[in-house]
Amino acid sequence: MSLYCRTFFRRKSFGCYRLLSTYVTKARYLFELKEDEEACRKAQQTGVFYLFHDLDPLLQASGHRYLVPRLSRAELEGLLGKFGQDSQRIEDSVLVGCSEQQEAWFALDLGLESVSASRASLPKSEMEAELGGSFIKLRQALFQLNSVDSSLLFTAQALLRWHDGHQFCSKSGQPTQKNMAGSKRVCPSSKIIYYPQMAPVVITLVSDGARCLLARQSSFPKGLYSALAGFCDIGESVEEAVHREVAEEVGLEVENLQYSASQHWPFPNSSLMIACHATVKPGHTEIQVNLKELEAAAWFSLDEVTTALRRKGSLALQPSEASSLLLPPKLAIAHHLIKKWVETLSCSSLAA
Ligand SMILES: NC(=O)C1=CN([C@@H]2O[C@H](COP(=O)(O)OP(=O)(O)OC[C@H]3O[C@@H](n4cnc5c(N)ncnc54)[C@H](OP(=O)(O)O)[C@@H]3O)[C@@H](O)[C@H]2O)C=CC1
Ligand SMILES: [Mg+2]
């Protein structure tokens, strides 16, 4: 019995430690798969595979929802055989997680061409017919997926996209090689190791104590307003990025920064969203919108925001509501920032 299994069973007998020990066991197993090529190759024999085609995940419609099918190794080999591919192609997969029982989960894109290994894109519609599903844009499928599936597919897509864009070393120009798990790429010539990257982005909900500041870009759906967001510049701390972005976008100075939460966000590439609350200095609330960045920005009252939060299916409005304020969907961290602000303000006004 391996060290990991022993830990799992010993801790399992103490009910309250079960969750922690399962989590630790999984984390250590995934670490092992990233570090040990043979262990990862072995895990590919018993693991399951999520399929993508040109970064679009394979989904199956079930009523108004989408299910995310997974293929066993044998099913995947059978599929590849039908398209004249051997099982070597499975080594293009990237590790995206594992179950509590240490079944490893991989993602494999059969639509992207691998330049260095000269692997061709497999025909999309023939594969869909074979698999009884469709490769659908993740943005389009987002609202029909449950949160666990969407988070897994976000991760898988981000990792596959990163590998697709890093097939060559930027110093030597030579092809880079993926490790088995897909947690890095190495250039055999320059010896440079490349790791998957995320761009840090700060997102801030600014309040003046009674109202919150929301803004929109011209690309947003009509009526949609969100918190202020912006990419961190190189060399900046999160605090510096928040101060700069708010100043750049709406011409205000903020104080009382409070970290709230974070989120991986896949659009347009991989970002790490760092969400904060902040307030403006008393009396300094006049907005000066930077029209190069935003279409509009305004202060919204607790009532206006509460009403908008209550609105169901917020991105599909009735004609009578066409001029109403719309807020970001639940899966966006901006939604949670706004909801938290409403809850905090509502509690403090009740207590007063
Ligand atoms: N999950 C959520 O709740 C929310 C997520 N977001 C996300 O936050 C991100 C930032 O928001 P946004 O207001 O657009 O950002 P910014 O205010 O920083 O403006 C975007 C511009 O920054 C430049 N830029 C600088 N660094 C990067 C980089 N690493 N990647 C891409 N562009 C960069 C680009 O300009 P140029 O191309 O001209 O060089 C881009 O057009 C977006 O990806 C957006 O999807 C935003 C709001 C809510
Ligand atoms: Mg911005």
Side-chain angles (χ1 to χ4, degrees), residues 202 217 227-231 245 249 293-294:
V202 289
Q217 296 178 6
L228 300 172
F231 290 91
E245 274 296 331
E249 297 198 341
E293 296 267 334
L294 300 173

Side-chain angles (χ1 to χ4, degrees), residues 155-224:
T155 305
Q157 189 198 52
L159 201 48
L160 291 167
R161 182 189 284 119
W162 181 81
H163 280 284
D164 184 46
H166 291 79
Q167 295 185 52
F168 293 92
C169 173
S170 57
K171 191 168 172 76
S172 70
Q174 297 299 310
T176 53
Q177 287 169 1
K178 178 180 88 63
N179 72 338
M180 198 56 66
S183 56
K184 58 186 166 189
R185 296 187 78 89
V186 181
C187 171
S189 166
S190 70
K191 310 286 180 234
I192 295 175
I193 304 174
Y194 293 91
Y195 294 98
Q197 290 159 342
M198 293 193 285
V201 174
V202 289
I203 177 160
T204 314
L205 188 65
V206 180
S207 164
D208 70 351
R211 302 171 298 171
C212 72
L213 199 164
L214 299 172
R216 57 172 278 109
Q217 296 178 6
S218 53
S219 58
F220 286 6
K222 195 165 181 281
L224 182 76

Side-chain angles (χ1 to χ4, degrees), residues 93-298:
S93 327
V94 294
L95 178 70
V96 291
C98 73
S99 71
E100 290 183 4
Q101 290 73 37
Q102 300 191 347
E103 172 195 65
W105 303 335
F106 296 91
L108 177 63
D109 196 309
L110 294 172
L112 293 173
E113 289 177 20
S114 164
V115 188
S116 53
S118 47
R119 283 180 190 140
S121 165
L122 301 191
K124 184 175 162 186
S125 44
E126 281 93 325
M127 276 180 47
E128 288 177 332
E130 194 63 47
L131 291 160
S134 308
F135 293 102
I136 294 176
K137 296 252 161 292
L138 198 44
R139 236 184 220 278
Q140 189 187 321
L142 220 52
F143 299 105
Q144 280 86 49
L145 289 167
N146 70 40
S147 60
V148 175
D149 285 342
S150 62
S151 161
L152 188 100
L153 294 180
F154 279 176
T155 305
Q157 189 198 52
L159 201 48
L160 291 167
R161 182 189 284 119
W162 181 81
H163 280 284
D164 184 46
H166 291 79
Q167 295 185 52
F168 293 92
C169 173
S170 57
K171 191 168 172 76
S172 70
Q174 297 299 310
T176 53
Q177 287 169 1
K178 178 180 88 63
N179 72 338
M180 198 56 66
S183 56
K184 58 186 166 189
R185 296 187 78 89
V186 181
C187 171
S189 166
S190 70
K191 310 286 180 234
I192 295 175
I193 304 174
Y194 293 91
Y195 294 98
Q197 290 159 342
M198 293 193 285
V201 174
V202 289
I203 177 160
T204 314
L205 188 65
V206 180
S207 164
D208 70 351
R211 302 171 298 171
C212 72
L213 199 164
L214 299 172
R216 57 172 278 109
Q217 296 178 6
S218 53
S219 58
F220 286 6
K222 195 165 181 281
L224 182 76
Y225 279 75
S226 185
L228 300 172
F231 290 91
C232 294
D233 280 350
I234 201 145
E236 262 182 344
S237 66
V238 167
E239 292 82 351
E240 286 166 340
V242 169
H243 283 284
R244 178 187 51 75
E245 274 296 331
V246 176
E248 263 178 26
E249 297 198 341
V250 292
L252 292 171
E253 280 191 50
V254 286
E255 55 186 15
N256 302 320
L257 247 68
Q258 276 192 327
Y259 168 78
S260 178
S262 68
Q263 171 188 49
H264 170 245
W265 189 244
F267 310 116
N269 284 312
S270 272
S271 294
L272 174 63
M273 305 292 306
I274 304 153
C276 299
H277 291 274
T279 58
V280 280
K281 295 197 166 101
H284 293 75
T285 58
E286 193 187 327
I287 298 169
Q288 287 173 354
V289 180
N290 180 345
L291 293 171
K292 284 191 180 144
E293 296 267 334
L294 300 173
E295 185 184 75

Side-chain angles (χ1 to χ4, degrees), residues 26-44:
K26 273 176 62 174
R28 296 254 169 112
Y29 180 58
L30 289 172
F31 177 79
E32 185 190 350
L33 298 188
K34 286 178 201 162
E35 295 296 307
D36 183 336
E37 297 289 275
E38 263 324 295
C40 191
R41 203 187 301 271
K42 225 170 120 194
Q44 281 180 357

